[in-house]
């Protein structure tokens, strides 16, 4: 038996067009919420390197309080969502606030001094939370809701314009 030729995801989505900003200008514009501190191994740097390798330019906007209070997603959310709806970004990524539910905090919280504030059994906050920890869980919920709203805006943009865009949510695992 002969197997049919393999197709890539781009080939299977023939009803969509590629974002003209990306093709015409050869620029990939990405918005990355919760991108963390500047490290050599961040997603943004990986995107820039891969785009360069393929002959494209990449512009990454990173929002994360780890880069300072002026980079807080909540400060920029309204403007960022409006820019998504105006087709300003080709790609959106949100690593929803992992400080409230990442596996690392359950395994070695004493190492970083960051304790879990929620679990699968208590998604709105652990019963043992202090008021400050409960506020952290509440803010995490708010940021997650904004992230889902951004992904939905990217999906709506693709549906309404036929322009191919991408959006991903990173969801930390809960070991419970």
């Amino acid at each position: 038996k002969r197997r049919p030729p393999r197709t890539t995801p781009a080939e299977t989505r023939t009803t969509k067009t590629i974002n003209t900003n990306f093709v015409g200008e050869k620029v990939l514009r990405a918005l990355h919420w919760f991108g963390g501190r500047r490290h050599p191994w961040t997603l943004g740097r990986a995107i820039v390197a891969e785009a360069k390798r393929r002959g494209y330019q990449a512009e990454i906007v990173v929002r994360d309080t780890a880069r300072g209070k002026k980079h807080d997603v909540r400060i920029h959310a309204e403007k960022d969502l409006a820019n998504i709806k105006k087709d300003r970004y080709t790609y959106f990524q949100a690593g929803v606030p992992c400080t409230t539910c990442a596996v690392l905090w359950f395994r070695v919280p004493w190492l970083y001094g960051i304790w879990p504030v929620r679990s699968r059994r208590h998604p709105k906050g652990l019963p043992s939370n202090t008021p400050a920890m409960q506020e952290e869980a509440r803010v995490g919920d708010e940021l997650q809701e904004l992230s889902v709203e951004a992904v939905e805006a990217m999906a709506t943009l693709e549906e309404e314009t036929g322009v191919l865009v991408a959006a991903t949510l990173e969801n930390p695992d809960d070991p419970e």
Side-chain angles (χ1 to χ4, degrees):
K1 279 185 171 179
R2 290 185 75 173
R3 290 185 173 182
R6 290 184 179 201
T7 58
T8 64
E11 292 169 333
T12 60
R13 299 178 81 169
T14 55
T15 60
K16 305 287 184 190
T17 59
I18 303 297
N19 185 314
T20 55
N21 291 335
F22 181 64
V23 173
E25 299 173 27
K26 293 192 107 176
V27 176
L28 169 70
R29 290 186 176 87
L31 176 60
H32 188 189
W33 283 358
F34 320 111
R37 294 183 177 94
R38 287 183 173 89
H39 293 292
W41 42 263
T42 62
L43 176 64
R45 289 187 184 208
I47 290 171
V48 169
E50 183 62 19
K52 184 177 180 180
R53 189 181 75 76
R54 293 174 182 247
Y56 289 86
Q57 181 183 358
E59 297 171 0
I60 313 295
V61 175
V62 179
R63 310 271 191 232
D64 195 310
T65 53
R67 292 177 180 225
K69 290 187 180 186
K70 69 179 184 177
H71 297 282
D72 191 328
V73 167
R74 293 173 294 171
I75 295 170
H76 300 280
E78 188 175 329
K79 180 181 170 188
D80 286 348
L81 290 168
N83 282 334
I84 287 171
K85 292 172 185 173
K86 292 178 187 173
D87 192 20
R88 298 276 201 272
Y89 296 107
T90 312
Y91 175 64
F92 171 80
Q93 155 66 21
V96 293
C98 63
T99 57
T100 67
C101 59
V103 171
L104 181 64
W105 313 142
F106 284 89
R107 293 191 180 144
V108 289
W110 58 90
L111 186 62
Y112 297 99
I114 300 173
W115 302 90
V117 297
R118 67 173 87 237
S119 70
R120 187 172 291 144
R121 285 187 220 135
H122 301 283
K124 293 294 184 184
L126 297 171
S128 59
N129 281 353
T130 65
M133 292 168 81
Q134 192 57 41
E135 176 62 10
E136 186 179 350
R138 188 201 63 74
V139 168
D141 290 344
E142 178 185 348
L143 294 171
Q144 184 166 341
E145 288 170 14
L146 286 169
S147 299
V148 170
E149 188 177 342
V151 169
E152 288 173 343
M154 291 291 284
T156 299
L157 174 68
E158 185 174 80
E159 288 172 8
E160 291 176 355
T161 65
V163 171
L164 184 61
V165 296
T168 55
L169 277 178
E170 177 185 335
N171 187 7
D173 189 24
D174 174 359
E176 286 189 350

